[in-house]
Amino acid sequence: MKRLLLDTHTFLWWLADDTALGDTCRELIGDGHNEVYVSAATTWEISIKRRLGKLEAPPEIDGIVEDERFVGLPISLYHGNQAGQLPFIHRDPFDRMLIAQAQAEGLSIVTADPVIPEYGIATIPAKE
């Protein structure tokens, strides 16, 4: 069993059945034996970008997470503290939160972001 944390773009690619998401990742995400997490940081980022007109996405992300049988991952005080302590390799606050959550919870981030692996955490390339 794998424990996966979807980066925002990976989550959106999954929902849109986008070909950018590789076959290996599709299999991992779709495998009912794996635990697939979606962070509150992801829903927050989607909501902000939708509001600014930078992204088209469904408004009821929490219901979609549940429908997909993914696990919603709240942001804890510990996660917030850990994100603030990370070196400034990555400037994006949403990605920094995902990194902190992956570290704290022992999750592998499914991402196409080339900077995230520089933190030395487990990642799975989203395009494979």
Side-chain angles (χ1 to χ4, degrees):
M1 175 184 75
K2 295 189 182 294
R3 301 177 73 230
L4 311 173
L5 177 59
L6 303 183
D7 197 345
T8 303
H9 59 271
T10 306
F11 176 62
L12 292 170
W13 289 348
W14 172 264
L15 295 181
D17 198 24
D18 193 312
T19 57
L21 186 61
D23 292 337
T24 300
C25 284
R26 283 181 195 285
E27 289 176 23
L28 287 171
I29 294 168
D31 184 338
H33 294 100
N34 294 330
E35 292 178 347
V36 181
Y37 292 81
V38 176
S39 172
T42 293
T43 61
W44 179 20
E45 180 178 16
I46 290 169
S47 178
I48 288 171
K49 288 182 177 179
R50 185 179 53 240
R51 177 83 168 131
L52 293 172
K54 294 182 176 184
L55 176 68
E56 286 189 32
E60 298 297 328
I61 297 296
D62 55 338
I64 292 169
V65 169
E66 186 176 312
D67 290 345
E68 293 289 330
R69 293 196 168 102
F70 295 160
V71 180
L73 181 60
I75 297 171
S76 71
L77 294 174
Y78 181 78
H79 294 149
N81 187 57
Q82 290 302 107
Q85 299 299 316
L86 289 172
F88 282 102
I89 299 169
H90 208 309
R91 300 274 186 222
D92 185 300
F94 300 108
D95 288 329
R96 292 173 60 79
M97 179 55 69
L98 294 180
I99 293 161
Q101 288 181 306
Q103 287 176 333
E105 307 301 327
L107 305 172
S108 297
I109 300 179
V110 183
T111 186
D113 187 322
V115 179
I116 289 177
E118 293 183 33
Y119 282 91
I121 59 170
T123 59
I124 297 171
K127 294 188 176 190
E128 290 185 4

